[in-house]
Amino acid sequence: MATTFVQEGSAVDYTPGSDLAAGDVVVQNDLVGVTKRAITTGEQGALHVAGVFDFPKATGGSTAIAAGATVYWDEGEQVAKTDDEAGANKLIGKVVAAAGDNDAEVRVRMSQ
């Protein structure tokens, strides 16, 4: 049997169980994706699993993240962080622009 090409792979098909807004982060086991457009419940849309996105991060003392750092998605807190918390947080990728303690977002090149 031959292998059949399906798509480039920077985005994958996804049908949500509830409405999603543009920019929502979706975790499916170890796969983290971001919606670029809103997706209605039961309608097929796309999760982007590659590219550069601004992810929310915590603010305040000791929350800065350096360029080149590996970051993970904390689904409970809904933020990117450098701690995988013993595998509970899922790999997003590498930081491409440093984020300071007062920055509410960190720019990440997704690579899973």
Side-chain angles (χ1 to χ4, degrees):
M1 180 173 152
T3 301
T4 304
F5 177 81
V6 177
Q7 60 193 29
E8 291 294 330
S10 61
V12 295
D13 295 336
Y14 181 70
T15 304
S18 60
D19 289 352
L20 296 174
D24 279 353
V25 177
V26 176
V27 177
Q28 298 179 91
N29 294 313
D30 288 333
L31 181 66
V32 178
V34 178
T35 59
K36 283 175 60 177
R37 294 185 178 86
I39 309 172
T40 304
T41 303
E43 297 294 323
Q44 186 174 0
L47 289 181
H48 291 265
V49 295
V52 178
F53 291 85
D54 289 335
F55 283 85
K57 67 171 266 310
T59 58
S62 301
T63 62
I65 303 176
T70 300
V71 290
Y72 303 85
W73 183 249
D74 184 319
E75 194 168 14
E77 294 181 31
Q78 295 288 291
V79 294
K81 53 175 58 172
T82 57
D83 185 357
D84 78 344
E85 296 179 358
N89 298 336
K90 304 306 177 187
L91 176 65
I92 303 171
K94 298 280 187 184
V95 173
V96 297
D101 286 343
N102 294 325
D103 293 324
E105 295 180 327
V106 61
R107 186 157 292 167
V108 178
R109 178 184 176 272
M110 295 181 76
S111 56
Q112 301 173 62

